[in-house]
């Protein structure tokens, strides 16, 4: 230290004394020059005592997470007992300032979605962009697994089976059960059993006589595909079922259906007239009021009989009858109506009141 006054360098302890204050530790110190001898007065100079931060302790930083606070890295000088954010000790900080607060979750909402028959749905949930965790609440307090959000597919619920296609003799039918989503399952309905009814089970024809066989009772969807004869020389058959006797003998007429089913009729062809072998009438006794009428129905066998059916009244003043069997009750009394076909005969007794 050099103390100068008016160009003259003063001598320590002769011209002045030096008094130090707080000059042991880091901080503000004072030095006072106290004039003595020829010199009087005091000059006090303040000065700083700095720490060289030569004993820095480093603490690693730690990143803050969504839920946990982190720490910035820092240095601690064990001499001056200060904290710094740099190793050189130029940026002082506090321990509290090194704390990095938890970031908090950054949540994205996924809306709920109902499950369908075939696709799974989900409950609403939130996903954190940072930590990737899943939460059932918007606040991100209730962590869940993604699997917990899954609502399983419901599967189809089919209703009752309903007939959606009727079976025919040719094709199976279909019964269908529907789910509300439009999906469906089907089961087959067996094809109908073929059936056929003919108005005759056998046929007696005279040579050249024709008879039309009538077909009824076919199962739905079925049809006659062909008529054929066992022998064209004995009997012929048209594709409309008209059978014609050709020569004395018997043969078989075959009717074939679309379903594949077949039915056969034996045909007897004879040279002579086809005669009535049986005769039936609808009534053998009849009571009518005067003025009323009634038609007797008759059945002749075979159906191909060539003998005519005739009607005759025993008293046409009481009861008259026409060629078609229609009876008129004309007057009170009784009469017999005789019905004939060839050698067969039936009687109906009519009482008029
Ligand atoms: Zn220090
Ligand atoms: Zn998070
Ligand atoms: Zn469904």
């Amino acid at each position: 230290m050099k103390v100068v006054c008016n160009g003259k360098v003063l001598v320590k302890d002769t011209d002045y004394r030096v008094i130090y204050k707080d000059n042991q530790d880091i901080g503000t110190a004072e030095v006072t020059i106290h004039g003595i001898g020829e010199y009087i007065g005091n000059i006090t100079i303040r000065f700083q005592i700095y720490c060289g931060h030569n004993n820095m302790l480093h603490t690693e930083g730690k990143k803050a997470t969504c839920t946990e606070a982190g720490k910035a890295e820092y240095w601690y000088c064990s001499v001056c007992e200060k904290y710094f954010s740099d190793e050189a000790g130029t940026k002082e900080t506090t321990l509290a300032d090194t704390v990095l607060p938890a970031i908090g979750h950054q949540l994205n909402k996924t809306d709920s979605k109902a499950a369908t028959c075939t696709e799974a749905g989900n409950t609403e949930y939130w996903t954190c962009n940072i930590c990737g965790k899943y939460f059932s609440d918007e606040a991100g307090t209730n962590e869940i697994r993604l699997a917990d959000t899954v609502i399983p597919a419901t599967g189809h619920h089919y209703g009752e089976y309903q007939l959606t296609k009727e079976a025919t003799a040719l094709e199976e039918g279909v019964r269908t059960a529907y789910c509300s989503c439009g999906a469906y399952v089907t089961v087959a309905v067996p094809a109908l059993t073929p059936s056929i009814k003919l108005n005759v089970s056998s046929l007696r024809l005279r040579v050249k006589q024709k008879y039309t066989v009538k077909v009824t009772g076919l199962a739905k969807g079925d049809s006659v595909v062909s008529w054929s004869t066992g022998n064209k020389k004995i009997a012929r058959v048209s594709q409309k079922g008209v059978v014609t006797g050709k020569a004395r003998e018997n043969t078989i007429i075959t009717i074939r259906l679309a379903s594949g089913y077949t039915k056969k009729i034996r045909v007897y062809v004879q040279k002579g007239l086809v005669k009535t072998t049986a005769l039936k009438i609808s009534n053998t006794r009849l009571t009518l009021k005067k003025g009323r009428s009634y038609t007797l129905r008759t059945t002749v066998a075979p159906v191909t009989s060539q003998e005519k059916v005739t009607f005759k009244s025993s008293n046409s003043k009481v009861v008259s009858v026409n060629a078609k069997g229609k009876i008129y009750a004309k007057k009170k009394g009784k009469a017999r109506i005789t019905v004939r076909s060839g050698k067969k005969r039936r009687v109906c007794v009519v009482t008029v009141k």
Side-chain angles (χ1 to χ4, degrees):
M1 192 193 301
K2 196 170 152 187
V3 179
V4 180
C5 179
N6 293 330
K8 189 182 173 201
V9 176
L10 304 189
V11 179
K12 192 186 173 196
D13 295 327
T14 303
D15 298 328
Y16 67 91
R17 273 204 296 272
V18 179
I19 302 156
Y20 287 101
K21 189 185 174 193
D22 293 336
N23 67 335
Q24 297 299 308
D25 297 319
I26 295 159
T28 303
E30 281 181 15
V31 62
T32 301
I33 309 298
H34 180 67
I36 55 173
E38 288 180 26
Y39 297 90
I40 54 165
N42 291 320
I43 295 171
T44 297
I45 298 164
R46 288 185 176 179
F47 63 92
Q48 295 292 316
I49 299 173
Y50 294 102
C51 177
H53 307 318
N54 293 320
N55 205 359
M56 291 286 239
L57 298 174
H58 181 228
T59 299
E60 292 283 352
K62 191 183 144 205
K63 280 190 173 174
T65 67
C66 296
T67 51
E68 278 179 31
K71 241 181 197 318
E73 67 173 349
Y74 65 87
W75 286 261
Y76 173 71
C77 177
S78 59
V79 178
C80 64
E81 298 180 337
K82 284 181 178 168
Y83 296 90
F84 300 94
S85 58
D86 64 329
E87 193 172 5
T90 61
K91 292 172 193 160
E92 196 184 339
T93 183
T94 64
L95 206 50
D97 283 344
T98 65
V99 174
L100 304 174
I103 308 162
H105 297 296
Q106 202 178 96
L107 296 173
N108 267 349
K109 186 183 182 185
T110 301
D111 287 325
S112 65
K113 191 180 129 195
T116 67
C117 296
T118 52
E119 276 182 35
N122 60 269
T123 56
E124 65 176 3
Y125 64 91
W126 285 262
T127 314
C128 178
N129 286 344
I130 300 164
C131 64
K133 289 178 178 171
Y134 300 98
F135 301 92
S136 66
D137 62 329
E138 195 169 6
T141 57
N142 187 30
E143 191 185 341
I144 53 168
R145 293 173 307 148
L146 187 59
D148 295 336
T149 68
V150 175
I151 302 169
T154 59
H156 297 298
H157 291 93
Y158 297 109
E160 296 283 309
Y161 277 98
Q162 289 168 353
L163 188 67
T164 47
K165 188 188 167 195
E166 227 176 301
T168 68
L170 308 182
E171 275 188 306
E172 285 184 333
V174 178
R175 298 200 313 139
T176 308
Y178 288 94
C179 177
S180 56
C181 75
Y184 60 89
V185 284
T186 61
V187 288
V189 178
L192 299 178
T193 305
S195 63
I196 185 169
K197 274 186 191 168
L198 302 177
N199 64 331
V200 286
S201 53
S202 66
L203 210 50
R204 183 168 291 279
L205 291 174
R206 190 180 190 178
V207 172
K208 292 183 181 172
Q209 190 184 354
K210 290 176 191 290
Y211 184 79
T212 303
V213 177
K214 289 191 179 73
V215 174
T216 55
L218 295 182
K220 192 177 178 184
D222 213 354
S223 58
V224 175
V225 288
S226 71
W227 297 78
S228 57
T229 176
N231 189 333
K232 282 183 182 175
K233 287 175 183 170
I234 298 167
R236 286 181 176 255
V237 65
S238 78
Q239 291 311 306
K240 287 181 175 172
V242 182
V243 184
T244 308
K246 300 301 280 185
R248 193 187 77 79
E249 194 46 82
N250 62 72
T251 188
I252 301 284
I253 300 293
T254 302
I255 303 155
R256 183 172 294 277
L257 302 184
S259 60
Y261 188 77
T262 58
K263 183 82 176 177
K264 295 176 188 300
I265 315 167
R266 184 163 288 275
V267 181
Y268 301 91
V269 182
Q270 61 188 49
K271 282 187 172 173
L273 194 74
V274 177
K275 290 181 177 174
T276 298
T277 55
L279 174 64
K280 282 182 190 171
I281 58 173
S282 54
N283 308 73
T284 53
R285 282 179 187 282
L286 204 55
T287 301
L288 292 173
K289 280 189 178 175
K290 185 185 162 189
R292 307 301 289 261
S293 65
Y294 184 86
T295 301
L296 276 181
R297 291 184 307 280
T298 62
T299 309
V300 171
V303 291
T304 48
S305 171
Q306 292 174 308
E307 294 182 315
K308 271 198 164 181
V309 177
T310 61
F311 301 87
K312 193 181 175 190
S313 173
S314 63
N315 187 343
S316 53
K317 285 179 183 170
V318 176
V319 177
S320 71
V321 63
N322 72 9
K324 290 175 178 174
K326 190 168 186 181
I327 295 166
Y328 296 92
K330 295 165 81 174
K331 192 174 134 185
K332 282 186 181 175
K334 273 192 180 182
R336 292 156 61 89
I337 305 298
T338 303
V339 186
R340 287 178 201 272
S341 178
K343 287 179 178 173
K344 297 296 170 183
R345 190 178 74 100
R346 286 284 180 274
V347 172
C348 175
V349 178
V350 182
T351 306
V352 180
K353 282 189 172 175

